[in-house]
Amino acid sequence: MSSIETRFLMTYPAMSAYEFDHFREEAAVQERWRSASLYMICQRPVIFFDDVVAESGVISGRIRQRGNATALRFELDILPGQPYFGSTSETIIEFNFYDHQPTPTPPLKNVAAIKFFDSENKFTGYLSPERLLFEHLRIGKFARIKGDISALLRYEVHYIGQAQDQPIERRLRRHETFQRILAREFPRIAQDIPTMEISLLFFGLDYASTPVTFQILDGGELSDSQGRPLSDKEAEEALLSTRLERFRNEIVNDAEAYLINFMLPRYNHVRYANYPLISNGLRSCGFDRIEHQVIPFGTLETEEATMKFSVSPVFSH
């Protein structure tokens, strides 16, 4: 038991602190958060929908970001029965704006989110620009997008943390550093308020394995690399059926320390300079080679390091 590999994926789209405050009580949102064990508090200029038109069962327009010349084109088919759109034959659409628009007329400008209701006026979901891009990247055919998505999804990482002993929503609601970041960080674009720029990213453990070497003897028994037959318990461990679940807490502790040590966010005062020699980490469980893969939908940056947007992220100091 000397080697372990893990993979963490985003379990929920990046959401602004403003969105978090408005939607944290939604059961569907909390359900998606349950599988998240790591989170990042980040910042980026506001991303918004622009030139939005809804007609003939299709919502179309552009996705823009303050201070960024890049714009994406999008088209979204409204299909009742599909995620977000409810199960009734009719879907009601409501637009929310970043500024006061008493009589908005298409094409709509500065749209913060698109809300959906069924024919009985029951809320069925909402899409922010980041949520639309997340579902497009996750599902593939959720929407039609044209343009360089990676140019908009860039996040300055302020803090990395974990929530294993309580729901992540409750952890963030009482989080002193989260409140400190909201109070101290100036908006990158003057017209917006910090809660619209401060963003939350959520990651959950998707995969963990310990590569092992074994052989199958003539009689069908499993043996180790030296030919020694394995007991039933040893064979079960060699085939990784259950044994890593008991290390879940140590995996999350270790991944958090690894990320902090690599990214060095300035609001993380504990830097884990001796990583992987940490208490309650994977080295204390007997692993001497530890490899974590964290896959974000976006590029993560601090003054010290960058985690680039890709299917298999590239790390650079």
Side-chain angles (χ1 to χ4, degrees), residues 83-148:
Y84 296 98
F85 308 136
S87 57
T88 59
S89 59
E90 181 182 7
T91 300
I92 301 170
I93 304 169
E94 178 183 299
F95 297 97
N96 291 75
F97 300 89
Y98 276 115
D99 55 3
H100 179 60
Q101 299 189 24
T103 55
T105 56
L108 302 176
K109 303 287 187 180
N110 206 25
V111 177
I114 306 169
K115 289 183 177 180
F116 302 100
F117 303 83
D118 64 18
S119 58
E120 299 173 353
N121 210 34
K122 179 183 177 182
F123 176 71
T124 57
Y126 82 99
L127 289 171
S128 65
E130 285 159 300
R131 192 166 188 173
L132 175 62
L133 294 176
F134 177 88
E135 298 293 18
H136 170 71
L137 292 168
R138 187 175 70 92
I139 299 174
K141 296 183 179 180
F142 183 77
R144 295 178 290 281
I145 307 288
K146 291 184 179 180
D148 182 6

Side-chain angles (χ1 to χ4, degrees), residues 49-298:
F49 294 113
D50 209 22
D51 299 325
V52 178
V53 176
E55 57 184 5
S56 303
V58 178
I59 302 176
S60 62
R62 300 175 187 269
I63 298 175
R64 299 183 183 275
Q65 184 176 46
R66 309 261 200 256
N68 190 334
T70 299
L72 310 177
R73 289 185 176 273
F74 78 93
E75 290 183 346
L76 175 68
D77 296 326
I78 306 304
L79 302 172
Q82 296 298 311
Y84 296 98
F85 308 136
S87 57
T88 59
S89 59
E90 181 182 7
T91 300
I92 301 170
I93 304 169
E94 178 183 299
F95 297 97
N96 291 75
F97 300 89
Y98 276 115
D99 55 3
H100 179 60
Q101 299 189 24
T103 55
T105 56
L108 302 176
K109 303 287 187 180
N110 206 25
V111 177
I114 306 169
K115 289 183 177 180
F116 302 100
F117 303 83
D118 64 18
S119 58
E120 299 173 353
N121 210 34
K122 179 183 177 182
F123 176 71
T124 57
Y126 82 99
L127 289 171
S128 65
E130 285 159 300
R131 192 166 188 173
L132 175 62
L133 294 176
F134 177 88
E135 298 293 18
H136 170 71
L137 292 168
R138 187 175 70 92
I139 299 174
K141 296 183 179 180
F142 183 77
R144 295 178 290 281
I145 307 288
K146 291 184 179 180
D148 182 6
I149 294 175
S150 63
L152 270 62
L153 300 181
R154 303 185 69 91
Y155 300 90
E156 178 186 356
V157 180
H158 290 314
Y159 183 85
I160 297 169
Q162 63 161 289
Q164 293 198 86
D165 57 344
Q166 60 183 311
I168 206 162
E169 172 269 333
R170 188 183 306 163
R171 166 76 173 145
L172 287 168
R173 218 185 321 188
R174 303 172 180 176
H175 202 296
E176 290 185 8
T177 303
F178 186 25
Q179 302 306 318
R180 191 176 302 121
I181 290 170
L182 288 171
R184 294 184 180 182
E185 291 299 321
F186 289 98
R188 302 299 182 254
I189 305 296
Q191 74 186 82
D192 296 309
I193 60 176
T195 55
M196 294 178 179
E197 290 194 349
I198 301 300
S199 301
L200 300 167
L201 276 61
F202 306 95
F203 296 86
L205 178 63
D206 174 65
Y207 168 85
S209 72
T210 57
V212 294
T213 300
F214 60 88
Q215 306 174 58
I216 301 179
L217 301 177
D218 290 341
E221 293 179 301
L222 293 180
S223 73
D224 62 19
S225 57
Q226 282 75 46
R228 181 183 64 84
L230 300 177
S231 67
D232 289 345
K233 182 177 180 180
E234 289 172 326
E236 181 183 9
E237 290 197 350
L239 293 172
L240 302 174
S241 58
T242 59
R243 75 191 189 103
L244 288 180
E245 182 60 32
R246 70 175 185 266
F247 296 129
R248 176 173 288 272
N249 287 346
E250 287 81 4
I251 289 172
V252 174
N253 291 339
D254 202 276
E256 178 198 32
Y258 162 74
L259 285 169
I260 292 171
N261 176 259
F262 173 75
M263 298 292 290
L264 296 176
R266 61 193 184 91
Y267 283 91
N268 282 101
H269 301 303
V270 177
R271 300 300 186 94
Y272 298 102
N274 292 326
Y275 177 84
L277 301 176
I278 64 170
S279 61
N280 300 316
L282 288 171
R283 183 63 63 86
S284 64
C285 298
F287 296 103
D288 52 25
R289 191 184 74 82
I290 303 164
E291 183 177 329
H292 295 294
Q293 186 183 36
V294 180
I295 302 180
F297 287 131

